Amino acid sequence: MHKSGDVILGGLFPVHFFSSVPDLSFTSQPQQPSCHGFYVQGFRQAQTMAFAVDEINNNSNLLPNVTVGYTLYDNCAELRIGFRGALSLASGQEEQIILHNTCVGKPPVLAIVGETSSTRSIAISSVLGLYRVPMVSYFATCSCLTDRQKYPSFFRTIPSDAFQVRAMIQILKHFGWTWAGLLITDDDYGLHAARSLQSELSLSGEGCLAYVEVLPWDKDTDELRRIVDVMKKSTARVVIAFVHLSHMINLIEEVAKQNVTGLQWLASEGWTATGAVLQTPELMPYLGGTLGIAIRRGEIPGLREFLLKTRPDLHHNNNYGNSMVRFWEFTFQCRFSPAPPGWMEGGGALCTGQEDLENVNTKFLDVSNLRPEYNVYKAVYALAYALDDMLQCKPRRGPFSGHSCGTLQSLEPWQLLYYLERVNFSTPFGDQVSFDENGDVVPIYDVMNWLWLPDGSTKVQNVGEVKRSTFKDEEIILDEDKIFWNFQSKKPVRSVCSESCPPGTHMVRKKGEPKCCFDCIPCSEGKCTSCPEDFWSNPQSDQCVPKKTEFLSYLEPLGICLTAASLLGTFICTVILGIFIYHRRTPIVRANNSELSFQLLLSLKLCFLCSLLFIGRPRMWTCQLRHAAFGISFVLCVSCILVKTIVVLAVFKASKPGGGTSLKWFGVTQQRGTVLCLTSIQAAICTTWLVSSSPTPYKNTQYQNDKIVYECTVGSTVGFAVLLGYIGILAVLSFLIAFLARNLPDSFNEAKLITFSMLIFCAVWVAFVPVYISSPGNYADAVEVFAILASSFGLLITLFGPKCYIILMRPEINTKKALMGRDTKKF
């Protein structure tokens, strides 16, 4: 087909299925190859390009004052024929023919729309790429064509097989099909798809291939019988077919002959939506329910009206050649005169060329399911928009050497290639068309289902889509309620090599078979999958049950006792504080700075209360607060004791002649400042510890496998050691000073009480360290709580017990005279 114009676009379309190439003996002039098996859809694709060109020429906003023409060749689905056609289009070298009796020959084309086959596209684009002649395929899907080093001028309006393979895997994953057979064609389309599918399955671990069979190019009955026999014997119920329609026709005839049913076919875009010849009552019992990947469906307004104008008498025979004649004869089942011998005798009709396409049932006029045609339409418009962008270039602002622009008079294909890489437009159907750095479009596929209706008719329906967005990987959307399953259960078939192992067993891979094939061995004989961290196997090893949890709880007896002791100590401190406040003017309360006694009681109350933070399930805030509260409370307590001890010495020295100045340097203000300063140091230690390496909750499973012990990690062992060490230093210092002052002559010598209390305190915490380190789990918390309570009760009883006894039981000696040892009564 040819149409003259200022710019000529080439096209390669499979108007015939099969070809007969003569034997090249090199002893005689070779005959021209003959094509047979008229392909209506291929002829409609060629007509779609002609329609798109006419539509562009009638569009005043696109390429104004430029007429686009075309030259279209039938490749007959044969590499040698398609390759020869492409070279003729690019070079313009062919036999002389007359067009409209006005001009001779056909000019070389600016770009080519085609090919359908990946193999033919590889061969043709590898040559066209040398001259940077753009080639826009509407059906070649091989992922190998994304290599811009090998194919720099190749583009396509159909997604590559790399995406189609991932779309297939998404469908397999969705239905849980982990065991499938693969049929491919012996060309780049099939071989690259097989390699990509095996690689993706291996990486994703989503399934295995039971077999990989390569379909023969010709109708090799023995080979087809062998392949179908493999399919029958295999346990795989899902068959993936990356094949061309012509190969599928030969295969399915053998499948029907051997009556192989119960298979779920998963079709590639090569035959999903274009396999009308397979949708017959004889073959649908085997192919009904087929799921397949299909090219995105589109709508082309006005195409049907254009197709209705197709008539053999409207065009010169040289324009349409034998293809137009064969289309007409194929559609109306007639023959043009002169008819073949025996045609009329057999009752055949003669074609007049006046038959009405409206009155015949033909797929040619069915524009409800435009898929390859839609890609052809987009390919032609991509070239037109690129050409339009190039012709709108302003002089001295162009992208070429010296900022030059391409002109219609000196137009070169490589100039169009520059703009084609940057083209971006929307179709009337609303789809955005642009090419990435590899010449690919944004991938999207429809998922189709072959529906076999009760009346015997068939329908190919859309049941979902697979697409990839900018920010996501492949995403599949399926309407399972619409899917027709060609099985008695009316449900998806189950296709696995080995069923999942039941609980209590584990997988052992079968020798020499894919990883999806395995035996199930009882757990007692091998290694089972471990339960999650928080679970443990039951005695039968067939179920994961939650592990028991353990921590120092308020509800267990030990926790209740410790909580009661803590609250009791707090209550006693409160009572003693009340007693001291009530008797605050008595000598025994006022002795040695009553304010320090009140601070000491408050700090002891905090010591009792901080022990409650060690009880209950550890949380982040309790883990961080427990040691900080413990450290600061005890330092406050021991600081008060240390200051009281120093005050005892100062008072004694002040009572001696000339010692009145001893209290001046350690008055009330200095006492408060000392307590605050010593406590601030501990607060700084705690802050540094929490900021640098804070204690955190931890689930410990090392003590017992079937039990989770909740505990707090100290975070920094150094921080914890410094905290305890600082308390120990203050306690030892208090003990030493009190020990030196134990023999002072007062009747009520508080230094003795402090010495005894510090002895108890140090003994408790010295014993605590080894016991704490060796105590497992929640017992470590119990040991620390016990140490806190024991030391607190020791301080409370030894420091305030005797004073309360005097206040409550011996008020007569609660006088200054008695306390100074001037009363003859002893106590």
Side-chain angles (χ1 to χ4, degrees):
M1 295 172 57
H2 178 76
K3 179 184 177 70
S4 299
D6 302 322
V7 176
I8 303 298
L9 301 180
L12 295 170
F13 299 94
V15 181
H16 291 86
F17 260 134
F18 307 106
S19 62
S20 297
V21 180
D23 182 34
L24 300 178
S25 63
F26 300 100
T27 59
S28 61
Q29 183 177 353
Q31 299 295 318
Q32 290 289 339
S34 61
C35 300
H36 56 92
F38 191 80
Y39 185 36
V40 175
Q41 283 89 342
F43 185 65
R44 186 173 61 190
Q45 292 162 16
Q47 291 289 342
T48 302
M49 180 169 177
F51 166 76
V53 170
D54 281 0
E55 192 176 61
I56 291 168
N57 288 333
N58 294 325
N59 187 347
S60 60
N61 296 321
L62 184 61
L63 292 175
N65 303 319
V66 176
T67 301
V68 181
Y70 54 78
T71 298
L72 311 182
Y73 281 162
D74 178 9
N75 59 33
C76 300
E78 167 62 36
L79 173 59
R80 281 171 287 188
I81 298 176
F83 191 79
R84 186 174 65 173
L87 293 182
S88 296
L89 289 171
S91 64
Q93 302 299 317
E94 61 176 23
E95 294 182 6
Q96 185 183 44
I97 59 173
I98 300 175
L99 304 176
H100 303 300
N101 298 318
T102 58
C103 61
V104 177
K106 300 175 184 175
V109 299
L110 189 63
I112 294 178
V113 175
E115 259 271 6
T116 53
S117 160
S118 293
T119 297
R120 294 193 294 273
S121 295
I122 290 170
I124 295 171
S125 62
S126 62
V127 174
L128 296 184
L130 298 176
Y131 305 98
R132 299 299 189 267
V133 176
M135 178 177 178
V136 186
S137 175
Y138 56 92
F139 215 68
T141 58
C142 181
S143 57
C144 58
L145 286 164
T146 59
D147 189 343
R148 302 308 277 176
Q149 295 295 323
K150 293 183 178 179
Y151 317 106
S153 64
F154 180 81
F155 299 83
R156 53 184 158 193
T157 54
I158 184 173
S160 75
D161 281 337
F163 177 74
Q164 183 176 189
V165 164
R166 290 193 289 270
M168 290 276 194
I169 293 176
Q170 287 294 320
I171 295 176
L172 294 174
K173 181 180 178 182
H174 183 85
F175 292 108
W177 296 330
T178 59
W179 188 234
L182 176 62
L183 304 177
I184 60 172
T185 52
D186 189 13
D187 59 4
D188 295 285
Y189 173 70
L191 296 175
H192 277 87
R195 189 155 48 243
S196 179
L197 184 63
Q198 290 173 316
S199 175
E200 290 288 341
L201 285 175
S202 177
L203 290 174
S204 65
E206 300 294 345
C208 306
L209 295 178
Y211 55 86
V212 179
E213 294 293 337
V214 180
L215 300 185
W217 275 100
D218 54 356
K219 196 172 183 178
D220 187 339
T221 306
D222 293 337
E223 180 64 9
L224 290 172
R225 187 182 299 116
R226 185 195 66 79
I227 292 173
V228 174
D229 193 51
V230 170
M231 296 165 58
K232 285 173 60 177
K233 293 179 180 178
S234 175
T235 57
R237 297 292 87 198
V238 175
V239 180
I240 304 171
F242 264 96
V243 299
H244 303 299
L245 182 57
S246 58
H247 295 79
M248 195 64 195
I249 293 172
N250 295 334
L251 174 71
I252 206 63
E253 288 176 354
E254 185 62 32
V255 169
K257 187 183 298 184
Q258 296 193 32
N259 194 28
V260 182
T261 59
L263 296 179
Q264 175 63 54
W265 292 88
L266 194 55
S268 68
E269 37 66 46
W271 61 281
T272 297
T274 58
V277 293
L278 299 175
Q279 297 161 13
T280 63
E282 295 77 23
L283 299 180
M284 283 304 288
Y286 311 97
L287 292 175
T290 295
L291 284 175
I293 301 296
I295 304 168
R296 175 77 164 170
R297 188 190 72 84
E299 293 181 2
I300 306 176
L303 177 61
R304 190 175 189 277
E305 290 72 17
F306 179 84
L307 297 177
L308 281 171
K309 297 177 183 178
T310 304
R311 289 187 178 276
D313 61 338
L314 295 181
H315 301 273
H316 195 278
N317 189 48
N318 283 332
N319 290 5
Y320 273 74
N322 292 331
S323 295
M324 186 63 225
V325 172
R326 290 184 180 179
F327 162 69
W328 207 259
E329 292 178 342
F330 176 84
T331 302
F332 294 101
Q333 293 299 299
C334 61
R335 294 293 182 270
F336 282 98
S337 180
W343 177 258
M344 299 299 297
E345 292 78 358
L350 284 176
C351 299
T352 64
Q354 300 302 316
E355 290 83 1
D356 191 354
L357 286 172
E358 285 275 25
N359 297 330
V360 66
N361 183 18
T362 174
K363 290 281 186 181
F364 181 68
L365 297 177
D366 183 9
V367 296
S368 62
N369 193 35
L370 299 177
R371 297 181 187 277
E373 294 82 0
Y374 187 49
N375 282 350
V376 172
Y377 184 79
K378 291 190 290 185
V380 176
Y381 265 89
L383 292 170
Y385 273 102
L387 181 59
D388 187 63
D389 290 342
M390 183 173 65
L391 296 180
Q392 291 183 15
C393 174
K394 296 182 179 180
R396 298 182 181 179
R397 295 185 182 179
F400 308 124
S401 177
H403 301 288
S404 62
C405 296
T407 62
L408 194 62
Q409 292 74 24
S410 60
L411 193 57
E412 296 289 343
W414 61 266
Q415 295 174 325
L416 181 64
L417 180 65
Y418 173 86
Y419 287 94
L420 188 59
E421 292 173 341
R422 294 158 178 79
V423 76
N424 193 334
F425 66 96
S426 296
T427 67
F429 191 57
D431 286 338
Q432 193 80 12
V433 179
S434 62
F435 300 106
D436 64 14
E437 65 277 5
N438 297 319
D440 290 327
V441 292
V442 177
I444 181 170
Y445 276 117
D446 290 337
V447 180
M448 309 303 292
N449 179 227
W450 287 21
L451 180 62
W452 191 19
L453 300 174
D455 61 358
S457 62
T458 62
K459 178 183 178 182
V460 179
Q461 62 177 355
N462 190 325
V463 295
E465 66 179 22
V466 186
K467 61 182 179 180
R468 184 176 66 199
S469 61
T470 307
F471 304 103
K472 296 181 180 179
D473 292 331
E474 294 74 25
E475 179 184 6
I476 184 170
I477 302 172
L478 286 178
D479 186 354
E480 294 191 44
D481 295 334
K482 291 174 61 177
I483 299 178
F484 168 74
W485 303 106
N486 195 26
F487 309 104
Q488 289 184 352
S489 63
K490 302 302 178 184
K491 294 181 180 178
V493 70
R494 182 126 178 103
S495 185
V496 295
C497 183
S498 300
E499 294 290 344
S500 299
C501 288
T505 62
H506 71 99
M507 296 184 300
V508 175
R509 183 171 172 177
K510 292 181 179 179
K511 188 175 181 180
E513 296 193 26
K515 63 181 179 181
C516 298
C517 303
F518 48 82
D519 293 319
C520 296
I521 306 299
C523 279
S524 57
E525 299 179 17
K527 183 179 179 181
C528 277
T529 302
S530 300
C531 290
E533 184 181 5
D534 294 347
F535 291 81
W536 182 248
S537 175
N538 64 353
Q540 293 77 31
S541 297
D542 61 1
Q543 188 178 4
C544 290
V545 295
K547 290 182 178 180
K548 296 179 181 178
T549 58
E550 184 178 281
F551 54 88
L552 187 57
S553 172
Y554 287 106
L555 302 179
E556 61 179 281
L558 181 59
I560 294 173
C561 293
L562 294 176
T563 302
S566 174
L567 296 177
L568 177 63
T570 305
F571 175 74
I572 293 174
C573 286
T574 304
V575 171
I576 294 176
L577 183 62
I579 293 172
F580 270 50
I581 292 175
Y582 185 78
H583 296 280
R584 63 185 178 278
R585 301 188 184 280
T586 60
I588 200 166
V589 174
R590 296 179 64 188
N592 297 347
N593 194 342
S594 60
E595 182 179 334
L596 286 176
S597 298
F598 293 141
Q599 289 179 1
L600 182 57
L601 283 171
L602 288 174
S603 64
L604 283 173
K605 185 185 289 187
L606 292 176
C607 291
F608 282 115
L609 290 176
C610 79
S611 64
L612 298 177
L613 294 173
F614 293 82
I615 306 174
R617 182 168 179 168
R619 311 281 183 186
M620 178 61 77
W621 68 272
T622 58
C623 287
Q624 292 177 333
L625 189 59
R626 59 167 59 172
H627 288 109
F630 154 71
I632 294 173
S633 299
F634 268 89
V635 164
L636 178 61
C637 177
V638 176
S639 298
C640 292
I641 294 173
L642 178 60
V643 171
K644 284 179 71 70
T645 307
I646 296 174
V647 169
V648 169
L649 286 175
V651 169
F652 175 72
K653 289 183 178 181
S655 63
K656 291 182 177 182
T661 60
S662 60
L663 281 177
K664 290 183 180 180
W665 59 269
F666 203 67
V668 175
T669 302
Q670 287 78 10
Q671 295 170 25
R672 293 173 183 168
T674 302
V675 172
L676 180 61
C677 181
L678 295 175
T679 306
S680 298
I681 293 174
Q682 183 71 311
I685 293 172
C686 293
T687 302
T688 304
W689 179 20
L690 294 179
V691 171
S692 60
S693 183
S694 173
T696 56
Y698 172 65
K699 293 187 291 186
N700 195 330
T701 57
Q702 296 179 356
Y703 299 125
Q704 298 182 36
N705 288 333
D706 61 343
K707 187 181 293 184
I708 299 175
V709 178
Y710 288 94
E711 57 187 21
C712 288
T713 59
V714 295
S716 171
T717 305
V718 174
F720 187 47
V722 171
L723 181 144
L724 290 178
Y726 183 65
I727 297 174
I729 291 173
L730 295 181
V732 170
L733 188 60
S734 299
F735 172 75
L736 292 176
I737 296 175
F739 181 78
L740 294 175
R742 71 189 186 283
N743 293 322
L744 295 180
D746 286 358
S747 297
F748 185 81
N749 187 355
E750 194 171 11
K752 295 179 181 179
L753 302 179
I754 295 175
T755 302
F756 189 59
S757 66
M758 286 294 98
L759 187 63
I760 295 174
F761 184 88
C762 292
V764 168
W765 286 105
V766 168
F768 159 77
V769 174
V771 177
Y772 178 82
I773 293 174
S774 61
S775 297
N778 60 338
Y779 292 107
D781 291 334
V783 167
E784 190 164 358
V785 173
F786 181 80
I788 292 172
L789 295 177
S791 57
S792 299
F793 273 114
L795 294 176
L796 181 66
I797 293 172
T798 55
L799 293 177
F800 294 97
K803 293 183 179 182
C804 289
Y805 172 77
I806 293 175
I807 292 173
L808 299 176
M809 307 301 295
R810 301 288 297 277
E812 69 276 6
I813 63 174
N814 188 7
T815 62
K816 183 176 181 181
K817 183 178 179 180
L819 293 177
M820 296 299 293
R822 296 171 186 172
D823 197 341
T824 57
K825 296 180 180 181
K826 302 292 180 182
F827 53 89

